[in-house]
Amino acid sequence: MADKREKSTTASSQIITGSCEEGGEGSSGIRTVETLLRLLPVGLCVAALVVMLKDSETNEYGSLSYSNLTAFRFLVHANGICAGYSLLSAAFTAIPRPITMPRAWTFFLLDQVLTYLILAAGAVATEVAFLTYKGDVAVTWSEVCGTYGDFCRKATASIIITFVVVICYVLLSLISSYRLFSKYDAPVGYKNKGIEIVDFGN
């Protein structure tokens, strides 16, 4: 009986303080995977950023650069932000430390925000890249890839790399969600709450 009370007190203490310790082989494995997933976007974001920054072409028809298109500039900024965040979060994650509720919530929210940011940048850039290939008669936007082929190829490469980053961030969001919502017990009052089924009869 005393043991049960002690275990109950310990569990309640963890709920109140909102913290738990990372430990065991499982937690260590998840931390390693998470650290690698946070490091991978650093190189990918920098690669996508550099490719887009160098994306310009000049011919007899004039010059065309990524800076002429707002969507491509947005892609550059989004990749820069994600690269910085990935580096900082990877360094923070690599160090074993207790998982506190504020830390879990911070990673969860930031991972969500960055995922939507890089996804939005990739989606908008994809739409503009499609217009550069196909054009749009309704807005009198003619296709330019027949004239600026190298520009379009570099833009497409940068966008593809960006969507690989999106995949990494989706996986990171799942990990941070798992950490936040599975490491903590439900409130005591709701733990053993059953569902009452009412039979109205015929």
Side-chain angles (χ1 to χ4, degrees):
M1 191 69 177
D3 291 341
K4 288 184 179 178
R5 285 178 187 165
E6 186 177 348
K7 288 180 181 177
S8 177
T9 303
T10 303
S12 300
S13 175
Q14 285 185 345
I15 294 168
I16 294 171
T17 58
S19 65
C20 63
E21 298 288 334
E22 271 189 319
E25 294 181 1
S27 296
S28 178
I30 292 175
R31 187 173 64 249
T32 301
V33 171
E34 183 182 4
T35 302
L36 293 175
L37 276 175
R38 291 187 183 281
L39 280 175
L40 182 58
V42 177
L44 292 172
C45 286
V46 170
L49 186 152
V50 170
V51 170
M52 189 61 81
L53 284 176
K54 292 184 176 181
D55 192 11
S56 62
E57 186 175 358
T58 302
N59 54 33
E60 64 271 21
Y61 297 101
S63 297
L64 183 61
S65 172
Y66 85 95
S67 59
N68 299 131
L69 300 169
T70 304
F72 289 172
R73 294 202 304 271
F74 177 37
L75 189 74
V76 168
H77 294 317
N79 274 297
I81 292 170
C82 287
Y85 170 72
S86 294
L87 185 61
L88 291 174
S89 62
F92 196 84
T93 304
I95 303 172
R97 66 185 71 194
I99 303 174
T100 62
M101 185 66 80
R103 179 189 172 192
W105 270 109
T106 299
F107 272 106
F108 172 74
L109 293 175
L110 288 177
D111 287 346
Q112 296 292 319
V113 170
L114 270 294
T115 299
Y116 285 115
L117 174 67
I118 197 66
L119 177 60
V124 172
T126 299
E127 181 181 4
V128 172
F130 177 81
L131 291 175
T132 61
Y133 276 101
K134 300 295 183 180
D136 191 340
V137 177
V139 295
T140 64
W141 189 338
S142 60
E143 61 87 17
V144 298
C145 289
T147 306
Y148 297 94
D150 188 53
F151 173 85
C152 291
R153 283 189 292 272
K154 287 182 179 178
T156 302
S158 180
I159 293 169
I160 291 172
I161 296 171
T162 298
F163 275 104
V164 177
V165 176
V166 171
I167 294 173
C168 292
Y169 268 96
V170 168
L171 293 175
L172 285 172
S173 294
L174 291 174
I175 291 175
S176 58
S177 299
Y178 168 79
R179 174 173 289 115
L180 177 62
F181 295 113
S182 70
K183 290 291 185 181
Y184 301 96
D185 295 325
V188 177
Y190 293 91
K191 263 191 167 183
N192 298 317
K193 200 169 185 180
I195 300 175
E196 183 179 353
I197 300 175
V198 179
D199 185 4
F200 291 100
N202 295 321

